[in-house]
Amino acid sequence: ESLRPRPAAYGPWLAKAPAGTTTDDTRHKVVLMRALESLRSKGQKLTSIDSQGLAQAYLDYEVAGEDEIRNQLKKHVEEGFREYRYAARWILGQREPSVAKPVERLWAGIDNCSGQMMLPPLACMYPGKPGEAYRKAFQIDFIDAPGARDMAAAWLAGLAAVLGEKETDPARQRWSVLWDAMRSTDPFEFSKTPFAGRPLHRWMDLAMDVAERANGRPWRLFELLETDGRPLYWWDAHYTLLVPISILVFCQYKPLAAMRLTMDFGHDSDSYLQTLGCMVGAVYGEGIFDKAMRSAIDADMARQYGASIESWMAVFSGA
């Protein structure tokens, strides 16, 4: 309450947000799922999703939650989506500067985490096919700068690779599958960029290094993340991967402990937790989250977005 005494356009909408409250990051997934639902309703393949269809979904987005919060959320959508809608109109061919602006202008070209917040559901379309998942993510992700696009697509490739593993495999082995797929799925050869290499590899290496140097001390882990992590913004693309990965390794791959420590770290915690939650869910399945936790999320999604995880999974049925 002291940190966010009034509802804001970014992060938690409510002054006293109860457990399960969704945030602006969730909204990006809602946009993607509405675009996929539109394709399914037209009898088209989900894999035909493209940047134009996604851009139209950002423009078409309307608040669909309960009446009592609809007016409040409309204002938040207008503020929070303004920049994305400028870019969406540009993707769709509009060039009037008052309503459309080049995608390169989005967030001043900063590598931010928007794509990471939007893309995870696509992994359900490509289980065991990390290369295809990467290419689709990179193709449609107009809301990220190129560097962030590679990180988001590589992360999605990791999630897709894990979803292709048998449920009987040991969890630690599936974590290795995730990390290996993130590193090795590089169809555009970012890793061979002269003099620069692939930033994703450096940040993943740092995540492992930070977890080791912290040596079991949470305060030291947080200190290293805030210094060696070099965040320009707390929502930098590299940072929303660095924080959850390093904390997960620090916690010796104990998922719920990692989620709690991530929450304690603060800053852009909703982004870090959604990144971590996607990885944990892919590795362990929904059972890792207590039914009460899942119910709280579903209740808030219905209240704010008129959506549910069950309805989303129905979209992927037979995909």
Side-chain angles (χ1 to χ4, degrees):
E1 182 177 5
S2 63
L3 294 176
R4 193 177 294 277
R6 293 177 299 278
Y10 308 100
W13 307 134
L14 308 175
K16 297 181 179 180
T21 300
T22 51
T23 75
D24 59 329
D25 292 337
T26 310
R27 196 170 50 197
H28 288 294
K29 296 179 182 67
V30 174
V31 170
L32 173 64
M33 290 308 303
R34 288 184 182 178
L36 294 175
E37 287 169 344
S38 177
L39 289 174
R40 175 51 62 90
S41 68
K42 297 173 183 176
Q44 300 178 19
K45 292 183 178 180
L46 299 184
T47 53
S48 67
I49 181 70
D50 56 19
S51 58
Q52 287 77 19
L54 192 61
Q56 190 62 54
Y58 271 97
L59 297 179
D60 292 343
Y61 182 92
E62 293 183 356
V63 176
E66 294 180 358
D67 291 340
E68 65 182 68
I69 61 172
R70 187 168 297 188
N71 290 334
Q72 176 183 331
L73 293 184
K74 282 183 178 180
K75 178 177 181 294
H76 295 325
V77 169
E78 180 182 346
E79 295 176 358
F81 270 14
R82 183 180 297 117
E83 296 298 316
Y84 297 106
R85 284 172 166 169
Y86 283 150
R89 293 187 184 96
W90 188 274
I91 286 288
L92 293 172
Q94 299 183 44
R95 294 296 184 267
E96 170 52 49
S98 64
V99 296
K101 304 185 190 302
V103 293
E104 292 79 5
R105 174 192 173 278
L106 190 58
W107 306 125
I110 294 169
D111 284 340
N112 78 93
C113 68
S114 298
Q116 292 171 34
M117 300 301 102
M118 173 187 67
L119 293 169
L122 289 183
C124 298
M125 293 161 47
Y126 299 102
K129 301 177 180 178
E132 293 183 32
Y134 181 103
R135 288 182 175 85
K136 177 56 69 173
F138 202 91
Q139 174 197 357
I140 71 172
D141 183 10
F142 71 88
I143 61 176
D144 277 340
R149 207 182 309 168
D150 173 56
M151 292 185 204
W155 179 56
L156 183 71
L159 297 178
V162 170
L163 292 182
E165 290 293 300
K166 295 180 181 179
E167 293 183 3
T168 54
D169 290 340
R172 186 60 66 92
Q173 181 177 332
R174 292 200 293 274
W175 284 115
S176 295
V177 169
L178 198 157
W179 306 146
D180 291 346
M182 287 179 65
R183 289 179 178 273
S184 63
T185 308
D186 186 18
F188 303 126
E189 298 186 331
F190 275 82
S191 60
K192 295 183 179 180
T193 305
F195 310 111
R198 194 182 194 189
L200 172 71
H201 292 174
R202 295 198 300 274
W203 294 119
M204 290 186 69
D205 289 342
L206 181 63
M208 307 300 173
D209 180 63
V210 162
E212 181 178 353
R213 282 192 285 150
N215 195 26
R217 297 165 294 175
W219 68 266
R220 179 58 174 158
L221 175 68
F222 293 171
E223 182 180 65
L224 290 170
L225 286 172
E226 292 177 338
T227 54
D228 291 24
R230 300 196 298 277
L232 179 62
Y233 299 97
W234 299 118
W235 37 266
D236 286 342
H238 80 269
Y239 208 66
T240 51
L241 287 176
L242 175 67
V243 170
I245 292 175
S246 62
I247 291 180
L248 178 68
V249 176
F250 175 87
C251 291
Q252 300 179 6
Y253 293 92
K254 296 172 182 172
L256 300 186
M259 294 191 75
R260 179 56 200 245
L261 198 60
T262 300
M263 190 159 50
D264 289 342
F265 179 59
H267 300 306
D268 200 28
S269 56
D270 61 326
S271 300
Y272 313 145
L273 282 164
Q274 291 207 45
T275 303
L276 178 59
C278 288
M279 294 189 292
V280 168
V283 169
Y284 294 96
E286 67 172 12
I288 193 64
F289 303 115
D290 184 82
K291 184 177 180 180
M293 297 170 68
R294 303 198 306 270
S295 297
I297 294 291
D298 264 333
D300 202 66
M301 286 183 61
R303 192 173 68 88
Q304 293 203 33
Y305 301 110
S308 71
I309 298 297
E310 184 177 352
S311 66
W312 284 2
M313 291 310 300
V315 174
F316 296 112
S317 177

